Amino acid sequence: MTSDRTRIPYGSGRQAIIDAVLRVVARDGMSAVTTRALTAESGMSQGALQHHFGTVDGVFAAALEYSSRVIAENIGPSTTLEGIFDGIVGMLRDHPELSTFQTEMFLEARRVPHLAALVARYQDQYAENLRVAIRAQVGEPSESLVHLLMAVGDGIAYEVAMQGERQLAVADRQIEALRRILRAISDGRIPLD
């Protein structure tokens, strides 16, 4: 928690609040996210939160957009199929709070309809990022391959969210096995359909 509000540089308030929601959700769960918790965690005022996001739901939407950007940066279109999942594990190492935040958001979206739309947009962007990466390597992907790879990535992220850093070593072994499968797809030994 930031105790000295003057330590947040001008222009950094938006990201400070996004970082705060990621930490609060990762540490305490979705139910702990309140305006008061976010202002205390970020060192920003309630006015700054309202200025940047309007509501706590606005913060959730921005945090999912941020998550999508981080994943897109890690699995960009110049990445090999094998590198897609190396990027996901790299993201989990560099931003472990993201997998917990996403897991919590996905579960909460099942109960809260307006969050379901945010999660659906996030999932659509994730699928598109995978399509772009696959297309750059092996051609037009089937939707079944895209959704299979999404499920694998989500499963690895879920395990890291549940088990913490100790799961990263297991994730590395999972990625190595997946790398062999993806190499076979890239080489044409396993068809895309």
Side-chain angles (χ1 to χ4, degrees):
M1 181 189 313
T2 304
S3 59
D4 181 0
R5 290 179 192 258
T6 62
R7 294 173 60 198
I8 304 294
Y10 181 78
S12 301
R14 182 175 169 75
Q15 189 61 47
I17 295 168
I18 290 171
D19 292 343
V21 77
L22 296 173
R23 285 191 305 270
V24 170
V25 170
R27 184 182 60 233
D28 303 320
M30 292 284 292
S31 63
V33 177
T34 62
T35 300
R36 180 173 289 168
L38 292 178
T39 57
E41 184 74 26
S42 68
M44 302 301 296
S45 68
Q46 182 174 347
L49 187 143
Q50 290 172 336
H51 168 74
H52 289 295
F53 305 103
T55 65
V56 170
D57 282 346
V59 179
F60 288 145
L64 276 174
E65 288 171 18
Y66 172 75
S67 299
S68 186
R69 259 194 336 272
V70 170
I71 289 174
E73 290 166 3
N74 280 277
I75 66 167
S78 63
T79 303
T80 63
L81 285 176
E82 300 88 18
I84 290 170
F85 289 93
D86 290 338
I88 289 172
V89 171
M91 184 266 311
L92 294 172
R93 285 186 198 289
D94 296 343
H95 305 279
E97 71 286 354
L98 285 181
S99 62
T100 304
F101 172 76
Q102 291 168 356
T103 299
E104 292 274 350
M105 280 292 291
F106 293 176
L107 292 172
E108 190 69 12
R110 289 180 48 110
R111 296 181 287 275
V112 181
H114 69 275
L115 294 180
L118 296 175
V119 167
R121 277 200 315 267
Y122 167 84
Q123 287 293 87
D124 289 345
Q125 184 60 54
Y126 181 25
E128 184 55 26
N129 292 341
L130 283 171
R131 279 186 207 98
V132 168
I134 295 166
R135 198 175 291 126
Q137 294 303 311
V138 295
E140 196 59 38
S142 68
E143 284 304 297
S144 58
L145 176 63
V146 170
H147 290 283
L148 174 64
L149 295 179
M150 285 177 67
V152 170
D154 287 345
I156 291 169
Y158 173 79
E159 288 181 341
V160 170
M162 296 299 106
Q163 301 295 322
E165 283 191 35
R166 67 179 181 263
Q167 186 65 25
L168 288 172
V170 174
D172 285 336
R173 291 192 301 276
Q174 291 168 327
I175 295 302
E176 186 53 43
L178 183 62
R179 191 178 286 121
R180 290 189 298 274
I181 294 167
L182 294 174
R183 207 171 296 124
I185 291 170
S186 293
D187 295 345
R189 290 178 282 144
I190 298 174
L192 288 176
D193 294 347

